[in-house]
Amino acid sequence: MAVRVERPNGKKGQRAIVISDIHANLKAFIELLKKVDFSEQDILILLGDIVEKGESSLDMLHYVMELKKTHNVYAVCGNCDAIAMEVLKDTRNEDLLKYILLRKQTLVGEMCRAAGAKLNRDTDMGKVKKELRERYKEELSFICELPHIIEIGQYVFAHAAVYPGRMEEMKPSQAMKADDFMNQGYHFEKYHVVGHWPTSLYCKEIPDCNPRIDKENKIISIDGGNVLKRDGQLNALIIPDLFENEVTFTYVDQLRKAKVLNTQEAGEKSFCIPWTDSLVELLRTEKDFTYCEHISSGNKMWIPNSYLCEDRDGWHTEDISDYQIPLTYGDIVSVSEVTSRGYLVKKNGVIGWYYGMLEFLPEGEE
Ligand SMILES: [Mn+2]
C-alpha cells in the first residue's frame, strides 16, 4: 500500500488547531477543544493515535466522526489507529487475539465487548472479525480511509515522520512509526509537525512536556505524553494562520491542581532518566524512595519506589528527574506525586520537585 497524502485547501488567515496522541482520552480532548475555543471557523488537525491505551476508544472514535460532520476536521492515521485495520484482513487472527487479550484498553477489544463476544485463548478470531466488519462498517472504513500525511499552506502533518524529498514514495508504516524523529538530522523548507514520540523524551536536564519547536530545521513535535505518562498532558499546537510560520500552544492535564505556598529557587543541576534508557541499580531504600544509580550515565538520584519495576534484565524506572523547579508563592501547579520528600509538580508543562507546602484547590477549579 502506498502512502496517502491529502492536500486540503486552507484559507489565508484560517486558524488551525493541531492535537496528537489523544489515545482515547475523550475527556481531555473535549476540555482542550473548549480551552482553545475551537469553532466552525477553525481547522482541526488530529495527528493520529486517536484511539488505544486510554479508557474510551470507541466513544472517542464516534466523537471525531460526528465532529467531522459539522466542523473542518482532518486526521492522519497513527500506528495505534492502524491496529483496527487488522479486523478487515483474514490473516494474523492469532496475533490480533493475543494483542487484545494482553492489552486491556483497545478499540477492537471494546468493539468485541460491545458486540457481546467474550474472548479467550480459544476464540475463533476469524468469526469474530466477520461479525465486527458487519457491525462496525462505518468506523472501520473511517480509519481505513485516513491519510498518512496532510499538507496545507506552509505545513506538513504526519503521525511520526515525513522524509525530505520523497514524501509520496514513503511506506505508510514509515509515516506512522518512527522513534526520536527530531534527532534524525532532517531539515525542511516547510514546518513538519509530528506526534508519536513524547517530547519529554528529548529532554536531558529539565523534563518538559510542551511542544518542541525546531525553528532552524522546521520540525515541531507535539506529543505531551497524554495517557502514557502519569504526569503527561494533551497539547494543542495553535497555528493562527496556516500560511505563516508563527505558532503558539496550550495544554490540559488531568492532575489535581494546587496553590504553591512557598517560594523555591531552581536547583543547580538535574538529570532526566527516560523510559528508553531506564535501567537503574538500587543502592538503598528509605521509606517511599530508593537511591538509584542510572546505569548508562552513572548519575545517582532518589526515585519513588512506585516508579521502579523489576524486569528480566534488572530494575527500570518510569520517566523521572531530580529537577528542583522554581516556584513563587501563589503559583498554580498540577500535582503528580505526593511523597515523603516533597511534591512532583508541573507548571507550564515543566515537571519538577517542590519541597515546600501547597494547598489543593477544590475539584474543577483552576
Ligand atoms: Mn504512535
Side-chain angles (χ1 to χ4, degrees), residues 21 23 48-49 53 78-80 159-160 176-177 195-197 223:
D21 298 83
H23 284 301
D49 283 6
K53 299 182 183 174
N79 56 312
C80 287
H159 178 58
M176 291 193 293
K177 211 165 185 234
H196 182 67
W197 195 250
D223 178 5

Side-chain angles (χ1 to χ4, degrees), residues 112-132:
C112 289
R113 276 194 293 279
K118 288 202 177 67
L119 304 186
N120 58 54
R121 282 197 308 205
D122 303 318
T123 300
D124 177 354
M125 203 56 202
K127 215 172 120 194
V128 174
K129 277 182 177 179
K130 273 192 198 117
E131 240 177 272
L132 296 185

